[in-house]
Amino acid sequence: GQPVVPGSQQIRYDTRDDKVLWMTKDWVGANEKKCRALKVLDGQLGDFGMGLSQLLEQQLGLTLRNRTAGMLACYDGKTAPGARYDFHVDNPYQTSMEVPDDKRRLTVLYYISDGAWDVEADG
């Protein structure tokens, strides 16, 4: 979900402009030959996140127990002009949405771009 305005407790869920693929065990098994590099990257990102667990527990009192399936999101400006990764809430249980806590506490992102990245122009 995404706040209606930054800092708002009101969340809306109809703003996706990306294509999403969840790297579940079933999907990885069915696409084993096509996704070897993605499987390695997903494992490395998971290891990185879990590797922070001791520090997160000591500094923030945050306990990591497991992880969810990896998610790939593609923001294709040709399909959806202006497509971008926007500020959003992965686990809105502490908002006015009054949804159950899905236990997510840490999100690890890895950006892949097919061209030069200009921090000033592209963020």
Side-chain angles (χ1 to χ4, degrees):
Q2 181 179 35
V4 173
V5 295
S8 171
Q9 291 293 312
Q10 294 181 328
I11 307 295
R12 65 176 191 242
Y13 288 93
D14 61 350
T15 61
R16 292 209 84 110
D17 57 8
D18 59 344
K19 300 174 196 172
V20 173
L21 179 133
W22 290 96
M23 293 183 58
T24 63
K25 288 181 184 179
D26 289 342
W27 185 87
V28 171
N31 295 280
E32 188 75 34
K33 292 180 182 176
K34 294 187 243 177
C35 72
R36 286 186 183 135
L38 286 175
K39 186 176 176 182
V40 169
L41 178 60
D42 182 59
Q44 290 172 335
L45 290 172
D47 290 347
F48 175 78
M50 295 307 284
L52 295 173
S53 62
Q54 184 178 7
L55 176 69
L56 292 171
E57 189 156 353
Q58 290 172 349
Q59 298 293 318
L60 303 174
L62 180 67
T63 301
L64 301 180
R65 290 191 176 84
N66 53 39
R67 61 167 293 197
T68 60
M71 178 184 130
L72 294 175
C74 177
Y75 296 87
D76 180 9
K78 293 176 187 171
T79 304
R84 66 195 176 280
Y85 181 82
D86 257 339
F87 174 80
H88 65 282
V89 178
D90 283 336
N91 184 9
Y93 78 100
Q94 292 181 318
T95 68
S96 62
M97 293 298 294
E98 297 180 6
V99 296
D101 181 5
D102 68 13
K103 306 296 184 204
R104 285 184 288 173
R105 297 294 185 269
L106 176 69
T107 299
V108 178
L109 300 173
Y110 185 83
Y111 292 95
I112 302 171
S113 180
D114 63 354
W117 189 265
D118 180 348
V119 174
E120 295 298 320
D122 301 320

